[in-house]
Amino acid sequence: MTQSAKKISTGSLDTDKLLAEHGMSREEYAVLLKVLGREPTLAEFGVSAAMWSEHCSYKSTRIWLKQLPTKAPHVICGPGENAGVIDIGDGLAAVFKIESHNHPSFIEPYQGAATGVGGILRDVFTMGARPIANLNALRFGDPKHPRTKALLAGVVAGIGGYGNCMGIPTVGGETNFHASYNGNCLVNAMTVGIADKNKIFYSAAAGVGNPVVYVGSKTGRDGIKGATMASGEFNADSDAKRPTVQVGDPFIEKLVMEACLELMATDAIVAIQDMGAAGLTSSSVEMASKGGLGIALDLDKVPLREAGMSAYEIMLSESQERMLMILKPGHEAEAEKIFHKWELDFAIIGKLTDTGRLIATRHGKTEIDIAVGPLVEQSPLYNRPWEPTPAPAPIDAHDYPLPKGETPLTILQKLMASPDLGSRRWITEQYDSLVGGNTAQGPGGDAAVVRLEGTNKALAMTVDCTPRYCAADPVMGGAQAVVETWRNLCAVGAKPLAITDNMNFGNPEKPRIMGQFVGAVEGIKEACLALDYPVVSGNCSLYNETSGTPILPAPVIGGVGLIEDASKTVSIGFRRTGESIFVIGETKGHIGQSLYLREIFGKEEGAVPPVHLTTERRHGKFIRTHIAAGDITACHDVSDGGLLVALAEMALAGDLGCALDIVETHASFWFGEDQARYIITARDADHFLAEADAAGVPCFLLGQTGGENLAIKGMGSVDLGTLRAAHEHWMPDYMAE
């Protein structure tokens, strides 16, 4: 028996109840008993359960995530820290990450989404970066489902409320609807920041005896068991989990950010970590573990906003806007002065030790005494059984011609008014996309573009995923999510540099679901390797299902690229009358898993469009080269809805029509979702065709810009006003019902 075991009183725990409440298995509990050499205290049980939860330990996914490519000459910091860091030249680094807040947002949509934004902002400024942009990827259930409208309204209000108050522009994102999300919406938030590449801050604790400092808001009882709640399925009692959702205050977060960045300009900080999932538990354990040290905490020193909080509650609280720091000795007063200037709590709550143990006392009593190493190194690691998703049979596009009485233009209007393709203006107008004055392109294009102050550069950023592809073929769907971000960045003239991933899946204990995850990782890996496009950060969100019904898998990819000269970028809108319109890439008319098939025929079936990675790379480089050269005046990648939808989006964005000279009546040409395609406009058609031919890139003339209609030779036309009404009215009308 250890010394610590002799001096600590465990009391009597209802083990069965605790295991059920915290999602810990009996096998995992047996490991904990072996680590301790005795029964745990309640606080020790809570700390261990949180650290070993799926949300914190990635126990079902770690063995697969290690296969992802994470290194490149421009990668400064890959996965494992609060956010990824890449070198963008001129002494600057881009810092970014995407993270989920799915379970909290379903339970309490406003606060769940708001604190999701707050958490990802802290992940970025913890690294020493000033956030310059937010993005999000949202997925809701069937619009007809009774909860969908309220979830959509609450989530959007929460994202806008937090980001707007912080003064960080929300510049892009995506929103989709599908019945598989009826019981479990997805809310993924991404933040991009800029830092001095030589002043990146990390979380590994160092220096025995150095003070452990708590800063920010006070600790309350909100968010307790948040990490374990996010590591299980929902059921009919999900509303009872409302107390596990954190409550955010963006005004406090703004103060915390400014105070942290001010202190980072000094030489006071050894290490820093935000208190995210599992709060003080994860921040203290992870910092000590990474530094190979112990940590001693006096929980009486933690600033509290509620009386009578126990050690368990203090350690597991997920109250927002809090940070944990290790300071250099002698800098305490300097740091305290800065945080008090910003009217924030500052408390020295402990010190680093050479014991390798987490020790926490409350009211003079030792409540936690456990080795740090095992909390991390002996966390469960499962190689769960998995089975591959059977490949769907290909669909013959000729079996799905235009319905009787329909034309490509009437089908276009129906698609443009559908929930997945309707305008997102109702959403984006609730976000401040221009605050800060550096947004060159905001919501509505292929990628957002944000200028970097003091340089000629700009960063481009986007989030993408096509869950219906991932459900049908996880490998191809994972690869497609990567290449769609690649295309969206290339379409604004940016060189894609790196990605962050948010892996949203159902219950990994089911072999079919685990197989979806394994397949998606394989597809992401193949695409990243082929494109020299590494993964530098990410997040896994599992158990996204309710009463046994899983979501469509959604491995959301956030991509970041660099534009060396911010003046050499283009957007999706047609710009001038009389310019030639080309499609880059081959159109074979692939309609398997397409929106045309789903929205017009009510079918979700068939093989997904194949992804050819060498083709994607070649076409992307061609597009970037000719945007930089000034040959391309507008550009849009072809994705959901196919060729005619992309053309309509370009016409609406530029408020300029077009006349298409293609004589083609089959629906698959207009609405097939073949990959590796872009639509561009150019002033000099002959020159552009010659350039494409020399590069070995398929390039076909579609027509010319001009007028107030979208016209197809021999098939009539639709005026832009009618098309815009169809496109923009669905969501406002839906939310007004």
Side-chain angles (χ1 to χ4, degrees):
M1 183 176 289
T2 65
Q3 280 296 113
S4 61
K6 291 179 181 177
K7 69 183 181 183
I8 195 165
S9 174
T10 61
S12 178
L13 299 180
D14 186 340
T15 305
D16 289 339
K17 181 180 179 182
L18 286 173
L19 291 175
E21 287 180 349
H22 293 77
M24 180 183 277
S25 71
R26 289 204 167 272
E27 293 77 14
E28 292 167 357
Y29 185 63
V31 174
L32 176 59
L33 293 178
K34 186 176 180 181
V35 168
L36 287 170
R38 56 173 168 78
E39 294 287 325
T41 65
L42 176 61
E44 288 171 336
F45 186 95
V47 164
S48 303
M51 290 303 300
W52 292 357
S53 68
E54 187 72 63
H55 191 73
C56 291
S57 74
Y58 288 16
K59 56 192 175 186
S60 299
T61 60
R62 290 204 312 272
I63 61 171
W64 300 104
L65 295 174
K66 289 178 181 178
Q67 300 180 15
L68 294 172
T70 61
K71 299 183 184 302
H74 58 279
V75 174
I76 296 173
C77 176
E81 275 291 342
N82 290 290
V85 186
I86 58 174
D87 189 337
I88 57 173
D90 293 335
L92 298 176
V95 180
F96 60 98
K97 186 183 180 184
I98 191 170
E99 199 164 72
S100 61
H101 234 216
N102 303 333
H103 288 67
S105 297
F106 185 75
I107 297 168
E108 172 44 64
Y110 184 95
Q111 290 296 348
T115 53
V117 174
I120 197 64
L121 283 166
R122 288 195 302 279
D123 280 340
V124 168
F125 72 72
T126 297
M127 303 290 291
R130 179 170 289 279
I132 62 168
N134 291 327
L135 302 93
N136 55 75
L138 312 177
R139 286 177 171 82
F140 300 100
D142 186 333
K144 297 185 177 69
H145 190 271
R147 285 205 65 180
T148 298
K149 190 182 299 184
L151 287 169
L152 172 61
V155 164
V156 170
I159 291 171
Y162 209 100
N164 295 352
C165 291
M166 283 288 293
I168 312 296
T170 299
V171 297
E174 59 174 358
T175 303
N176 298 122
F177 299 87
H178 191 275
S180 73
Y181 304 108
N182 284 349
N184 206 128
C185 63
L186 299 186
V187 177
N188 297 169
M190 178 177 170
T191 293
V192 181
I194 297 297
D196 181 333
K197 76 171 188 177
N198 296 314
K199 292 201 72 175
I200 304 298
F201 288 81
Y202 299 99
S203 58
V208 172
N210 280 353
V212 178
V213 176
Y214 171 118
V215 299
S217 287
K218 288 180 169 58
T219 294
R221 288 188 169 95
D222 52 318
I224 294 172
K225 297 183 190 174
T228 51
M229 176 271 290
S231 303
E233 293 183 35
F234 281 149
N235 53 40
D237 299 323
S238 61
D239 276 349
K241 298 180 178 180
R242 191 175 302 274
T244 63
V245 178
Q246 309 92 330
V247 177
D249 185 335
F251 298 105
I252 295 295
E253 176 115 333
K254 172 67 172 174
L255 301 180
V256 172
M257 181 179 75
E258 296 299 342
C260 285
L261 293 175
E262 183 175 338
L263 185 59
M264 286 167 171
T266 72
D267 192 35
I269 298 176
V270 174
I272 182 169
Q273 173 80 38
D274 84 298
M275 294 190 214
L280 185 54
T281 288
S282 61
S283 55
S284 59
V285 170
E286 289 173 8
M287 292 178 84
S289 172
K290 289 176 182 177
L293 295 173
I295 188 166
L297 302 175
D298 181 352
L299 301 183
D300 295 345
K301 301 290 181 62
V302 174
L304 302 178
R305 68 168 182 260
E306 298 184 49
M309 290 186 69
S310 67
Y312 171 93
E313 292 173 322
I314 294 169
M315 290 298 293
L316 274 297
S317 168
E318 294 185 9
S319 294
Q320 296 291 284
E321 294 91 38
R322 302 178 302 158
M323 310 287 282
L324 199 65
M325 296 179 178
I326 310 299
L327 296 183
K328 294 180 180 178
H331 288 267
E332 296 92 336
E334 177 184 20
E336 183 174 18
K337 182 178 180 181
I338 289 173
F339 278 89
H340 283 175
K341 182 186 80 171
W342 291 98
E343 300 182 346
L344 297 166
D345 279 293
F346 176 98
I348 299 172
I349 65 169
K351 64 180 180 179
L352 297 179
T353 70
D354 60 3
T355 66
R357 304 184 71 80
L358 168 66
I359 298 174
T361 61
R362 178 71 167 143
H363 301 317
K365 177 184 174 184
T366 300
E367 296 282 358
I368 299 170
D369 188 344
I370 187 170
V372 169
L375 279 178
V376 178
E377 296 159 9
Q378 293 186 37
S379 65
L381 179 61
Y382 297 125
N383 187 354
R384 297 196 184 277
W386 63 277
E387 57 188 45
T389 301
I395 281 181
D396 186 341
H398 290 88
D399 292 339
Y400 296 94
L402 292 170
K404 187 175 181 180
E406 301 281 4
T407 70
L409 293 172
T410 60
I411 294 294
L412 171 66
Q413 292 174 67
K414 292 179 180 180
L415 290 178
M416 294 292 282
S418 68
D420 269 13
L421 289 176
S423 169
R424 301 304 187 237
R425 188 187 299 272
W426 182 89
I427 294 175
T428 60
E429 286 183 344
Q430 297 185 54
Y431 304 152
D432 189 338
S433 62
L434 299 175
V435 63
N438 288 316
T439 304
Q441 289 193 46
D446 283 330
V449 178
V450 179
R451 293 180 293 266
L452 304 183
E453 288 186 4
T455 77
N456 292 324
K457 300 174 184 283
L459 282 183
M461 54 203 76
T462 184
V463 288
D464 292 289
C465 184
T466 311
R468 63 185 186 276
Y469 293 175
C470 299
D473 186 336
V475 178
M476 201 67 77
Q480 193 274 339
V482 174
V483 300
E484 187 164 350
T485 68
W486 171 273
R487 286 198 302 269
N488 283 333
L489 295 174
C490 291
V492 296
K495 180 181 180 181
L497 293 178
I499 70 167
T500 180
D501 58 25
N502 205 142
M503 309 293 282
N504 305 276
F505 289 81
N507 186 343
E509 297 168 45
K510 299 177 180 179
R512 182 175 65 87
I513 302 298
M514 195 66 222
Q516 292 176 341
F517 184 90
V518 173
V521 169
E522 177 62 25
I524 292 169
K525 179 184 77 172
E526 291 176 1
C528 289
L529 287 171
L531 300 173
D532 293 328
Y533 194 32
V535 183
V536 298
S537 60
N539 170 252
C540 288
S541 175
L542 305 183
Y543 295 95
N544 288 291
E545 49 185 274
T546 297
S547 301
T549 301
I551 63 165
L552 288 186
V556 174
I557 305 298
V560 173
L562 179 65
I563 303 172
E564 290 287 355
D565 184 345
S567 69
K568 295 181 177 179
T569 183
V570 297
S571 62
I572 71 170
F574 292 149
R575 295 184 64 187
R576 300 179 187 87
T577 296
E579 294 191 336
S580 298
I581 306 169
F582 294 95
V583 58
I584 303 296
E586 291 187 282
T587 299
K588 295 183 177 180
H590 194 104
I591 66 165
Q593 301 297 333
S594 67
L595 284 183
Y596 169 75
L597 191 67
R598 190 181 82 187
E599 296 297 324
I600 305 304
F601 293 92
K603 295 186 176 183
E604 298 180 45
E605 58 188 45
V608 307
V611 173
H612 301 291
L613 296 170
T614 55
T615 303
E616 293 282 2
R617 183 172 183 134
R618 181 172 62 253
H619 292 185
K621 182 179 179 181
F622 176 79
I623 290 292
R624 295 196 308 272
T625 298
H626 289 280
I627 289 175
D631 297 331
I632 292 174
T633 56
C635 184
H636 190 15
D637 90 305
V638 181
S639 55
D640 284 352
L643 192 68
L644 196 53
V645 166
L647 284 161
E649 289 171 342
M650 296 179 81
L652 292 177
D655 198 24
L656 181 64
C658 61
L660 307 177
D661 295 327
I662 302 295
V663 180
E664 176 61 64
T665 59
H666 202 278
S668 63
F669 174 83
W670 298 109
F671 305 113
E673 295 180 6
D674 306 83
Q675 301 293 291
R677 293 186 300 164
Y678 303 79
I679 297 176
I680 68 94
T681 55
R683 286 187 289 269
D684 189 335
D686 291 339
H687 168 75
F688 194 79
L689 280 168
E691 290 289 311
D693 185 60
V697 171
C699 180
F700 302 95
L701 182 64
L702 295 175
Q704 283 198 323
T705 59
E708 299 177 352
N709 303 309
L710 194 163
I712 303 176
K713 188 174 183 179
M715 296 185 195
S717 65
V718 57
D719 69 90
L720 295 189
T722 299
L723 194 57
R724 191 180 304 281
H727 183 52
E728 294 199 352
H729 284 185
W730 179 80
M731 190 170 285
D733 290 350
Y734 170 67
M735 295 306 295
E737 289 175 357

